[in-house]
Amino acid sequence: MNNLNNHTAIITGASKGIGKSIAFKLAENGADLILLSRTKSLLKVVKNQILDKFNVKVSYHIADTGDFKSINKLFSEITANNERVDILVNNAGVTKDNILARMSEEDWDSVINTNLKGYFNCCKAVIKQMMKQKFGRIINISSIIGLNGNSGQINYAASKSGIIGLTKSLSKEVGSRNITVNAIAPGFIQTEMTDKLSQKDKDSFLKSIALKRFGKSEDIANLVSFLASDKAAYITGQIIKIDGGIN
Ligand SMILES: NC(=O)c1ccc[n+]([C@@H]2O[C@H](COP(=O)([O-])OP(=O)(O)OC[C@H]3O[C@@H](n4cnc5c(N)ncnc54)[C@H](O)[C@@H]3O)[C@@H](O)[C@H]2O)c1
């Protein structure tokens, strides 16, 4: 158990998949939650499911993390009256896969916009409050693809590598304010994002995994909870793989 009582966490992309599991895990450990995503109906369900199980505060907002102005406005409202934000989990992400020869400019731009600029937008919108508090935990969900690359995913790989550079650099900027910034690089985790891959691709991924099975979103949530806790106070600027041992 990681004690996150009296901590408030913003989680992006919390309506399903990994983000939803992170929301449940942080609530289980006592954190109050502010959930962001694009789909109101799903966020409402997540909020109610969490309130049924845990004694924490939960609110949600419809947001496009790639939209600088609206993220800035939303975070200003959240931190009005000096409200604390202790934890930011940047998780919202998309894929639009194709080989370079067939990739459109739109598919490049939209993946970079959500997956990389979206993380910049949320970090920028929260950092002044965390600096004022002299406390913060930023956890960025990258991907093993950002480390290894993957045919058919140059846009996704570039965005996920970009997150690694962002994480390492920001950790150096804000460490003196007691703010840690780390990234998690998941391997193949069973969610809607990976459900849409072909069986052929799934089989070929599986062969490269030492544990011979895909991961669960809870595997990622457990590490997020640890990195957000006091137990991880001396860990910053790290990229931690959770991939079942991909060679
Ligand atoms: N599933 C995997 O195997 C895997 C592996 C490595 C990394 N990741 C990363 O983990 C994160 C979560 O992936 P997942 O598998 O749970 O995906 P998912 O498709 O199940 O969920 C993605 C979430 O992000 C939200 N989202 C997408 N674009 C958004 C935007 N512009 N603004 C706000 N919210 C937005 C969606 O509404 C949804 O809540 C992503 O960053 C993904 O790249 C996933």
Side-chain angles (χ1 to χ4, degrees):
M1 194 78 177
N2 301 303
N3 184 356
L4 300 177
N5 290 335
N6 303 315
H7 286 60
T8 299
I10 296 182
I11 305 164
T12 72
S15 67
K16 55 184 176 167
I18 294 171
K20 181 177 173 182
S21 286
I22 292 169
F24 270 77
K25 183 51 72 180
L26 297 191
E28 186 187 332
N29 287 303
D32 294 325
L33 305 179
I34 301 168
L35 309 176
L36 267 52
S37 180
R38 293 174 304 183
T39 329
K40 185 175 178 181
S41 54
L42 294 177
L43 277 176
K44 204 171 161 191
V45 172
V46 174
K47 173 183 169 173
N48 290 333
Q49 287 173 339
I50 290 173
L51 289 178
D52 280 350
K53 281 187 88 172
F54 307 112
N55 187 21
V56 296
K57 291 184 207 146
V58 185
S59 62
Y60 66 81
H61 302 270
I62 310 309
D64 175 356
T65 53
D67 182 338
F68 180 81
K69 276 194 189 142
S70 63
I71 286 296
N72 209 30
K73 184 167 175 284
L74 174 61
F75 279 55
S76 301
E77 285 161 13
I78 290 169
T79 54
N81 309 319
N82 222 6
E83 287 294 324
R84 290 180 69 91
V85 177
D86 303 284
I87 303 158
L88 168 66
V89 185
N90 277 313
N91 164 78
V94 290
T95 51
K96 293 213 168 144
D97 298 349
N98 222 327
I99 56 167
L100 174 62
R102 287 202 211 110
M103 184 172 289
S104 66
E105 183 184 3
E106 289 73 29
D107 286 353
W108 171 269
D109 285 346
S110 84
V111 169
I112 297 293
N113 196 59
T114 294
N115 295 11
L116 184 55
K117 189 175 172 213
Y119 284 36
F120 160 77
N121 290 344
C122 294
C123 287
K124 183 160 171 69
V126 85
I127 206 69
K128 283 192 182 146
Q129 178 61 31
M130 287 184 171
M131 287 166 82
K132 241 194 274 173
Q133 294 166 186
K134 294 202 167 52
F135 181 86
R137 296 275 191 268
I138 297 178
I139 299 147
N140 294 324
I141 307 300
S142 174
S143 168
I144 199 77
I145 304 298
L147 291 163
N148 297 352
N150 194 27
S151 164
Q153 289 199 303
I154 59 155
N155 50 358
Y156 185 77
S159 71
K160 294 298 182 179
S161 299
I163 290 166
I164 291 170
L166 181 158
T167 300
K168 291 189 178 209
S169 304
L170 185 58
S171 71
K172 294 177 199 285
E173 282 184 18
V174 296
S176 63
R177 303 296 182 108
N178 194 27
I179 300 168
T180 66
V181 190
N182 291 291
I184 299 176
F188 191 111
I189 308 299
Q190 276 177 305
T191 67
E192 274 180 37
M193 185 180 270
T194 45
D195 283 348
K196 60 189 182 199
L197 290 173
S198 70
Q199 194 56 46
K200 193 173 151 237
D201 283 346
K202 288 183 190 172
D203 291 344
S204 109
F205 274 123
L206 198 53
K207 275 195 203 132
S208 66
I209 301 173
L211 291 176
K212 296 298 167 211
R213 60 183 172 81
F214 298 133
K216 299 193 195 85
S217 50
E218 293 76 22
D219 296 321
I220 311 305
N222 285 331
L223 180 57
V224 170
S225 172
F226 171 72
L227 287 173
S229 76
D230 283 349
K231 293 174 192 164
Y234 202 56
I235 301 175
T236 197
Q238 301 306 306
I239 315 304
I240 305 172
K241 293 195 247 180
I242 304 186
D243 64 0
I246 289 183
N247 61 34

